[in-house]
Amino acid sequence: MKIENPNPIQWQFSERAQQLQSSFIREILKITQRPEIISFAGGLPSPATFPVERMKAAYDKVLSEAGKVALQYGPTDGYGPLREWIANSLSTEGSRILPEQILMTSGSQQALDLLGKVLVDEGSRVLVETPSYLGALQAFSVYRPEFKSVDTDEHGLVPSSIAAVAEGARMLYSLPNFQNPTGRSLSLERRQELVETCARFGIPLIEDDPYGALSYKGEPMPKMVAMNPDGVIYMGSFSKVLTPGIRLGYVCAPLPLVRRLELAKQAADLHTAQLTQMVVHEVVKDGFLDQHIPTIRKLYGDQCQCMLDAMTEHFPASVTWTKPEGGMFIWVTLPKSIDAMKLLDQSLAARVAFVPGAPFYANEAASNTLRLSFVTVPPERIREGIAVLGKLIKDML
Ligand SMILES: Cc1ncc(COP(=O)(O)O)c(C=O)c1O
């Protein structure tokens, strides 16, 4: 029997819910999923890199050999053998990471939310790069911090600018490798200076690192967590090195913090799927990533170079851009007179999409910036799309 509603509900959303905003990128993605659009807007990894057969075999093995455990509830902190594997992979000669410091999360996006929940009160000062990862700004915003921007230059975050905003800061959120959105990386000297500066002011330093393994050439840079495991909180993800659909990430933090994060996670979702964690452990435990990651690096490196070459050919001299050595993004700075939102209107009409830079700024935005992703677009379409953008920019000059 269907019950009538004589008194229809007048929804009263919490102040927090009223403030929630959809990520601008997710809105653009809805438009850009149409096949005729050449989309440089997405932040999605290339599906060509997903190890479908390897995952299938691992699901089969885990379900056949340990199905009853894999399908049961699991511990909040995560699947022990996978936490151990992660702790070993983060440990270096000089600094040992314990499995107890690792909390498995449902994507590293959940780690951002949990960090906001346990470290930020309304009005707490949170330091972020300019620009920064939009998803982190969105996650922290729920807890209503006061964002203070730390300066960046062409080499990334400028540690000497921290002193001016350090007072009372609850954390500094940093992206040292192939940053989303700019593709920039911090030099070794800057990393050391950043870790030292945060330690001097007693500010917890968050090192969000989903792209660190994706360097096109050369070895990945040392992790800041290895320089100061008592002051740095490291966030990792399997999204960009395996697949994002499994929603698996982790946070490595000093013990007092990780226990708080665990309590917050317990309240949020009890634990991350045990089956997924066991499958990922099965996939990674014998060194699969060592063969797999180079194939991702090669694909992304080639497509990045293709986009950089096309930009040199088609963009006017007054436009500048970053030259990433890894990761998934290029950051473009247009002449000040061009608003990237206006350019987007025109480029969507010409069937090319990108993300304007403004949403990546916590405070004052540079409206003449934009982010391009090259990883899901084949080379001939990259050239075609960049030629269209180059023409539109020239027409707006
Ligand atoms: C810098 C950064 N951090 C965190 C995330 C979240 O990734 P996931 O939740 O898939 O691990 C992303 C996703 O694009 C990202 O770019």
Side-chain angles (χ1 to χ4, degrees), residues 26 43-45 105-112 132-136 173-175 177-181 208-211 235-240 243-245 247-250 328-329 371:
R26 299 223 146 247
L44 310 182
T105 54
S106 301
S108 56
Q109 189 68 28
Q110 186 184 38
L112 291 168
S132 184
Y133 168 51
L134 178 57
Y173 171 69
S174 75
L175 301 125
N177 292 312
F178 319 125
Q179 197 232 31
N180 181 2
D208 185 9
D209 188 25
Y211 306 103
M235 292 171 46
S237 172
F238 290 100
S239 292
K240 309 297 178 342
T243 110
R247 307 306 305 125
L248 194 60
Y250 54 90
M328 300 182 14
F329 305 108
R371 188 191 77 176

Side-chain angles (χ1 to χ4, degrees), residues 79-90 96-99 102 281:
Y79 178 56
L82 183 58
R83 291 167 67 219
E84 208 165 300
W85 183 89
I86 292 167
N88 283 340
S89 71
L90 291 179
R96 187 155 154 53
I97 301 290
L98 304 171
I102 309 294
H281 180 248

Side-chain angles (χ1 to χ4, degrees), residues 184-203:
R184 286 181 191 129
S185 290
L186 280 187
S187 67
L188 184 57
E189 296 72 42
R190 283 239 175 140
R191 278 167 211 248
Q192 279 161 343
E193 200 186 337
L194 176 57
V195 174
E196 269 165 25
T197 308
C198 285
R200 181 150 42 88
F201 288 107
I203 303 171

Side-chain angles (χ1 to χ4, degrees), residues 22 44 58 118 136 146 151-152 187 221 257 278 306-307 310 334:
S22 176
L44 310 182
V118 309
E146 176 204 27
D151 291 348
T152 48
S187 67
M221 285 278 206
L257 174 61
M278 290 175 77
C306 170
M307 187 175 267
L334 304 166

Side-chain angles (χ1 to χ4, degrees), residues 43-107:
L44 310 182
S46 167
T49 67
F50 299 162
V52 178
E53 289 308 314
R54 190 75 188 75
M55 294 292 288
K56 197 167 145 199
Y59 270 102
D60 198 39
K61 183 153 187 267
V62 169
L63 285 169
S64 328
E65 291 178 5
K68 297 258 154 74
V69 178
L71 297 176
Q72 183 54 284
Y73 282 116
T76 301
D77 50 12
Y79 178 56
L82 183 58
R83 291 167 67 219
E84 208 165 300
W85 183 89
I86 292 167
N88 283 340
S89 71
L90 291 179
S91 292
T92 58
E93 248 173 54
S95 103
R96 187 155 154 53
I97 301 290
L98 304 171
E100 298 81 71
Q101 288 175 258
I102 309 294
L103 173 71
M104 299 307 302
T105 54
S106 301

Side-chain angles (χ1 to χ4, degrees), residues 85-386:
W85 183 89
I86 292 167
N88 283 340
S89 71
L90 291 179
S91 292
T92 58
E93 248 173 54
S95 103
R96 187 155 154 53
I97 301 290
L98 304 171
E100 298 81 71
Q101 288 175 258
I102 309 294
L103 173 71
M104 299 307 302
T105 54
S106 301
S108 56
Q109 189 68 28
Q110 186 184 38
L112 291 168
D113 177 56
L114 298 177
L115 285 164
K117 212 173 247 169
V118 309
L119 291 177
V120 178
D121 289 312
E122 187 169 346
S124 300
R125 186 172 280 200
V126 169
L127 309 186
V128 291
E129 299 177 19
T130 37
S132 184
Y133 168 51
L134 178 57
L137 299 179
Q138 206 188 10
F140 299 150
S141 286
V142 174
Y143 304 100
R144 305 204 205 164
E146 176 204 27
F147 284 118
K148 284 280 179 190
S149 301
V150 176
D151 291 348
T152 48
D153 62 16
E154 68 273 26
H155 306 294
L157 186 150
V158 181
S160 58
S161 70
I162 293 172
V165 285
E167 201 183 327
R170 295 281 177 95
M171 59 176 166
L172 190 162
Y173 171 69
S174 75
L175 301 125
N177 292 312
F178 319 125
Q179 197 232 31
N180 181 2
T182 62
R184 286 181 191 129
S185 290
L186 280 187
S187 67
L188 184 57
E189 296 72 42
R190 283 239 175 140
R191 278 167 211 248
Q192 279 161 343
E193 200 186 337
L194 176 57
V195 174
E196 269 165 25
T197 308
C198 285
R200 181 150 42 88
F201 288 107
I203 303 171
L205 173 61
I206 297 176
E207 177 176 26
D208 185 9
D209 188 25
Y211 306 103
L214 304 183
S215 57
Y216 308 146
K217 44 190 176 239
E219 281 304 301
M221 285 278 206
K223 297 188 188 349
M224 296 189 293
V225 68
M227 300 174 192
N228 182 12
D230 295 329
V232 178
I233 299 138
Y234 182 86
M235 292 171 46
S237 172
F238 290 100
S239 292
K240 309 297 178 342
V241 292
L242 273 182
T243 110
I246 52 172
R247 307 306 305 125
L248 194 60
Y250 54 90
V251 55
C252 167
L255 290 175
L257 174 61
V258 84
R259 292 287 78 85
R260 286 284 161 173
L261 294 170
E262 186 185 342
L263 291 176
K265 178 166 170 75
Q266 210 167 69
D269 66 352
L270 299 183
H271 66 85
T272 294
Q274 174 95 332
L275 173 60
T276 311
Q277 296 182 65
M278 290 175 77
V279 165
V280 166
H281 180 248
E282 179 57 38
V283 170
V284 300
K285 69 178 189 201
D286 296 323
F288 172 73
L289 290 180
D290 295 340
Q291 312 141 38
H292 182 58
I293 289 173
T295 63
I296 309 178
R297 289 179 180 153
K298 168 88 177 76
L299 179 73
Y300 291 4
D302 289 351
Q303 291 190 188
C304 181
Q305 194 54 51
C306 170
M307 187 175 267
L308 291 170
D309 292 345
M311 290 163 87
T312 307
E313 188 180 337
H314 295 288
F315 280 9
S318 51
V319 177
T320 58
W321 54 90
T322 56
K323 302 192 177 53
E325 294 182 353
M328 300 182 14
F329 305 108
I330 295 174
W331 183 250
V332 178
T333 306
L334 304 166
K336 283 228 161 56
S337 59
I338 302 183
D339 183 335
M341 289 283 185
K342 295 215 173 84
L343 178 63
L344 180 65
D345 286 342
Q346 302 204 9
S347 79
L348 283 177
R351 299 193 183 140
V352 177
F354 60 84
V355 188
F360 295 96
Y361 291 85
N363 294 312
E364 211 176 312
S367 59
N368 60 327
T369 53
L370 58 100
R371 188 191 77 176
L372 298 173
S373 170
F374 41 81
V375 302
T376 49
V377 188
E380 62 285 1
R381 302 269 283 169
I382 291 180
R383 286 188 279 271
E384 197 186 323
I386 292 295

